[in-house]
Amino acid sequence: MKLATAEQMKELDRQAIEERGIPSIDLMERAGAAVAEAAASLPAGKGRRRAAVLCGTGNNGGDGICAARHLFLKGTEVRVYLVGDYEKMTPDAREQTRRLSECGVALVPFDPEDEEQRRWILCADVCVDALFGVGLSRRIDPSSHWGRAVALMNDSRGAVVAADIASGVDATTGECLGEPARAVKTITFTLPKAGQFVGKGALCSGAVEVRDIGIPAQLVRETVCSIQTVERDFVRQALPGRQADGHKGTFGKVLVVGGAVGYTGAPYLTALAAVRSGCGLVSLGVPEIIWPVEAAKCVSAMPFPLPDKDGMLSDKALQKILDKLADCQVLALGPGLGRSQRTGRLVRELLSQTDKPVVLDADGINALAGHIDVLNGRRGRVTILTPHDGEFARIYDGPEELGRAEEARTFARAHGCVLVRKGHRTLTALPEGNVLVNTTGNSGLAKGGSGDVLTGVIASLLAQGATPVQAAAGGVWLHGRAGELAAERETEYGVTPADVARTIPAAIREILG
């Protein structure tokens, strides 16, 4: 699903109005009707439904005023508050005000000190947020009328329905420009906005519903969006086929390298996830001192000892890893590796000396801090990095405050890698500049070891023949869906990374079914 930026939406509106001759008031009329329909569908208390509609002076405010009229005509008791100066209202918003007044409903200036207004907003069954729209670019002062209007909506007992986008959310980056409205539902127009799916904006948009308001379909199809969500069809295509006469070598060989004293679980989880997601042969290289532990736990993966020192891999492990890697398709490097000068050197040597695809995680990523030139040296070879935000901060060397998606895009393009930036709505950024947003997963994945499982899934799909983007973005989706399915049994509180790894087959079965 394509995700548009604020500028792209402004351009679509311009093309529809100026080049296709569609009256802007007609677009607004459809938008307001869609918002009203959504607001009227929400549960209400006893008696006549009560709605508070808070509007700005721009066209988003006009959408809200239009929605108020439609709600009134549906039998809702509506009060409509204008936040801002009437003289600054757009022509279409003024026309909607005229149509509203013909129904006997007045547009009232918002006064946060007016107790009657406050009571109405706080006790409404539904609040319609139509303050800013996608054009917001400045922070909302919490002491301003706009800030206090947002606060009242958030404190209301009724659900907040946002017109196009929740107020306070940057439509492009998902950054919250001050305290945002916390919508239960967002009725967005023509295309979903990137800011509704990434960053903090994804947390306050609620259920996002896209409504057609009359922008010509051809214009929408021709809009090229560099950020998209990952859908089931993409994941289905990402899953490598299974040959009926295949054997264990047919379905890929992954080498997992990691582990240290105190970190025996991480490499085991990576290997388990690789097996559970279809890899034919999974080898696991760990420090000799923890090899007995891994050997006792692993049934399907094949652990083997590597030279160690002080509980971590030593420099002498390098050649043994390269020898083993010669017979494998993919190297998963870093889970539980530990941080030391030796392990850092080992990681950088492996990255430099192998042409095999590498999935780099955890302390494998940390080894690049201050040595990003090693990653640049792999340009043209497949390298997939899977950092959480803390690890990403250690290696990111681009402009700051761009937003999560733009920072990920900047890094992937600058260093010629695939970057999986983990977190709520994990992002997969590609060297070509595209970003894929994941929408599966839950808080049950916020536990140590979940990232190790993800590394195993990505490496497994890559070894089986998926492309780097398929393996990365498809692996993230499967990992998140497995977390959802596992939590149905164990709850988000009780689910473990091992539960997630063991539930990957169920997520795959769901996709294939």
Side-chain angles (χ1 to χ4, degrees), residues 69-147:
R69 174 166 52 85
H70 282 277
L71 282 168
F72 175 79
L73 294 174
K74 292 174 182 286
T76 298
E77 191 174 358
V78 181
R79 295 193 183 179
V80 194
Y81 304 107
L82 176 66
V83 185
D85 186 352
Y86 180 85
E87 298 301 321
K88 295 181 179 179
M89 292 181 75
T90 63
D92 284 350
R94 290 192 184 194
E95 171 59 20
Q96 290 295 347
T97 302
R98 185 192 67 77
R99 295 180 185 184
L100 180 69
S101 66
E102 287 183 346
C103 296
V105 181
L107 178 65
V108 179
F110 173 68
D111 180 0
E113 302 299 332
D114 187 310
E115 285 301 320
E116 183 179 359
Q117 289 189 22
R118 290 174 59 83
R119 282 196 301 272
W120 184 272
I121 296 169
L122 291 172
C123 296
D125 295 303
V126 63
C127 292
V128 174
D129 167 24
L131 292 177
F132 292 110
V134 300
L136 180 67
S137 59
R138 66 183 187 278
R139 298 192 72 80
I140 302 174
D141 181 352
S143 65
S144 68
H145 277 31
W146 293 275

Side-chain angles (χ1 to χ4, degrees), residues 177-201:
L177 303 172
E179 181 63 28
R182 295 190 291 272
V184 168
K185 184 178 291 188
T186 297
I187 305 304
T188 198
F189 313 132
T190 308
L191 283 170
K193 316 306 182 283
Q196 294 162 342
F197 287 82
V198 301
K200 296 295 184 181

Side-chain angles (χ1 to χ4, degrees), residues 87 117 179 195 201 213-215 229 256 292 368 385 408 411 461 465 471 478:
E87 298 301 321
Q117 289 189 22
E179 181 63 28
I213 61 170
I215 301 288
T229 58
V256 179
L368 293 178
L385 279 67
F411 186 92
L461 295 178
L478 284 172

Side-chain angles (χ1 to χ4, degrees), residues 276-309:
R276 284 285 182 171
S277 49
C279 188
L281 285 169
V282 179
S283 299
L284 174 57
V286 297
E288 185 171 5
I289 193 171
I290 67 168
W291 173 78
V293 176
E294 303 295 347
K297 288 192 293 187
C298 291
V299 175
S300 298
M302 299 173 292
F304 64 95
L306 289 168
D308 60 11
K309 185 176 182 180

